Amino acid sequence: MKKLNNNNIKLAVQKEGRLTEETLTFLKAAGFEFENSKQRLFSVCRNFPLEILYVRVNDIPDYVSSGVVDIGIIGQNVLYEIRPKVKKLLNLRFGFCSLQLAVPNESVVRDIAQLKNKKIATSYPNSVKRYFKKNDIEVETVLIRGSVEITPALGVADAVADLVSTGSTLALNDLRPIMTIYESDAVLIENETSFADRKKQLLIKKLLTRFKGVLSAKNYKYIMMNAPEDILPRIKKIIPGLKSPTIAKLGKDGWVSVQSVIKEDVFWETIEKLKKEGASGIIVLPIEKMMI
Ligand code: PRP
């Protein structure tokens, strides 16, 4: 069995749960090579001094703040709830969910003011208490560790505050969302003292660069098209590229080939504008990594 090495950086990730698969996919997209079996306890990367430890997600903040590991990947919701002594380095743009207040479909409650003096079941008591305190509404929170969604049917609570991603759990339990307390995605957190160790500081910086490369690539697409030369000024306005698009002459007189990157969030609008201006043969490709 491989042994953990103190010179490597240690990353704690969720062993089994909502973030696990996407976390591993993200790490592989960032170029880290490692094996992970079903019985995973830890993995040692083959091509980077990184060790991945698989633990319970609620233990990750403690492991990071106490220095057992250098960095960790958890949901931002855990940070909001526990407020551990760790530094957030990066939002990772996966594992999206929100903490929502929901009531039974037949309830008369439509807004949070109507929850005054009501019981709210949740696994996120601190977040819920803070939220209602901020809104100056008195409520009673009931701490439930799992299956929060069945508590109204059991008569334990009048409403729930639970994590929602697809919304299926609420729908299956005849619950209706009335308010979002916060939105969350996966985040990379760091032990506050890891940066004091220069070697680790450098390694974490390298790892961050790789992570950012994956995130940038996700936000952009590579685009190629043919266009009459005279519409180039208008095309350049539509796709300014990172600095400026690459332009090459085509065999056909008066025609050029244009290559650039476009933002994912304005992708369809951009394509429509380009077609309207007279661009043709438009090809769009995903970008694997992008270092800006
Ligand atoms: C959360 C939440 C719901 C479910 C909602 O549980 O407590 O049970 O996800 O997801 P949906 O909107 O896609 O149906 P989670 O998976 O975090 O596990 P947990 O039950 O251990 O809290």
Side-chain angles (χ1 to χ4, degrees):
M1 185 169 138
K2 279 183 179 163
K3 289 236 168 69
L4 296 178
N5 175 342
N6 269 339
N7 294 321
N8 291 347
I9 38 174
K10 292 181 180 54
L11 163 71
V13 302
Q14 185 178 29
K15 186 176 168 68
E16 215 177 317
R18 68 163 57 235
L19 295 180
T20 310
E21 286 317 309
E22 281 185 284
T23 300
L24 299 179
T25 305
F26 187 88
L27 290 171
K28 296 211 163 158
F32 299 110
E33 290 174 11
F34 56 93
E35 303 311 313
N36 72 91
S37 67
K38 272 260 164 280
Q39 304 296 337
R40 52 197 163 211
L41 290 174
F42 69 88
S43 304
V44 181
C45 281
R46 282 191 293 276
N47 60 346
F48 197 86
L50 172 71
E51 282 152 16
I52 303 161
L53 288 89
Y54 303 93
V55 298
R56 284 189 44 205
V57 77
N58 286 329
D59 292 334
I60 295 178
D62 276 347
Y63 281 146
V64 175
S65 63
S66 63
V68 172
V69 299
D70 305 296
I71 47 178
I73 293 178
I74 55 169
Q76 174 105 37
N77 55 298
V78 180
L79 282 193
Y80 287 140
E81 177 63 19
I82 306 180
R83 294 192 167 177
K85 280 200 159 176
V86 296
K87 201 157 88 185
K88 185 178 99 177
L89 292 176
L90 196 63
N91 283 75
L92 300 174
R93 316 282 304 145
F94 65 80
F96 289 101
C97 63
S98 55
L99 183 65
Q100 296 203 12
L101 279 166
V103 294
N105 279 332
E106 69 277 7
S107 166
V108 293
V109 174
R110 299 269 152 202
D111 62 58
I112 57 164
Q114 291 169 287
L115 287 174
K116 191 172 178 204
N117 297 328
K118 302 275 189 212
K119 282 185 185 168
I120 299 174
T122 187
S123 308
Y124 294 84
N126 297 333
S127 308
V128 173
K129 280 180 195 154
R130 272 201 302 270
Y131 177 77
F132 279 98
K133 195 165 179 218
K134 204 175 88 198
N135 285 283
D136 207 13
I137 299 166
E138 195 80 32
V139 293
E140 188 186 331
T141 53
V142 182
L143 174 63
I144 302 287
R145 303 255 179 231
S147 304
V148 171
E149 59 279 356
I150 61 164
T151 52
L154 296 176
V156 174
D158 305 288
V160 300
D162 200 9
L163 287 188
V164 174
S165 34
T166 61
S168 316
T169 305
L170 288 190
L172 281 171
N173 288 280
D174 295 320
L175 296 171
R176 162 169 57 82
I178 55 165
M179 186 58 76
T180 299
I181 297 181
Y182 52 66
E183 307 276 355
S184 164
D185 65 341
V187 290
L188 177 69
I189 55 168
E190 182 201 40
N191 172 273
E192 285 174 334
T193 58
S194 284
F195 260 74
D197 179 333
R198 250 194 76 69
K199 266 195 195 151
K200 286 198 169 169
Q201 180 186 347
L202 277 173
L203 288 174
I204 291 173
K205 234 177 151 180
K206 276 190 188 171
L207 176 135
L208 257 181
T209 307
R210 290 189 182 201
F211 277 18
K212 285 180 183 167
V214 177
L215 291 174
S216 306
K218 254 197 202 171
N219 293 336
Y220 288 91
K221 295 249 182 270
Y222 194 76
I223 186 168
M224 297 189 277
M225 80 203 80
N226 297 334
E229 214 162 349
D230 58 333
I231 67 162
L232 264 183
R234 295 204 294 278
I235 288 195
K236 277 188 190 166
K237 269 197 189 149
I238 301 169
I239 45 160
L242 286 180
K243 289 199 177 92
S244 63
T246 307
I247 295 157
K249 280 208 178 290
L250 286 179
K252 194 173 166 189
D253 241 11
W255 278 72
V256 287
S257 155
V258 183
Q259 295 171 29
S260 188
V261 289
I262 55 174
K263 278 204 149 186
E264 171 82 48
D265 52 358
V266 290
F267 170 74
W268 287 111
E269 279 165 68
T270 310
I271 301 282
E272 278 158 23
K273 281 187 196 161
L274 290 169
K275 280 177 89 174
K276 215 169 138 198
E277 288 296 347
S280 63
I282 303 174
I283 296 174
V284 179
L285 302 167
I287 299 172
E288 199 184 299
K289 291 181 189 71
M290 192 163 107
M291 302 330 218
I292 308 180

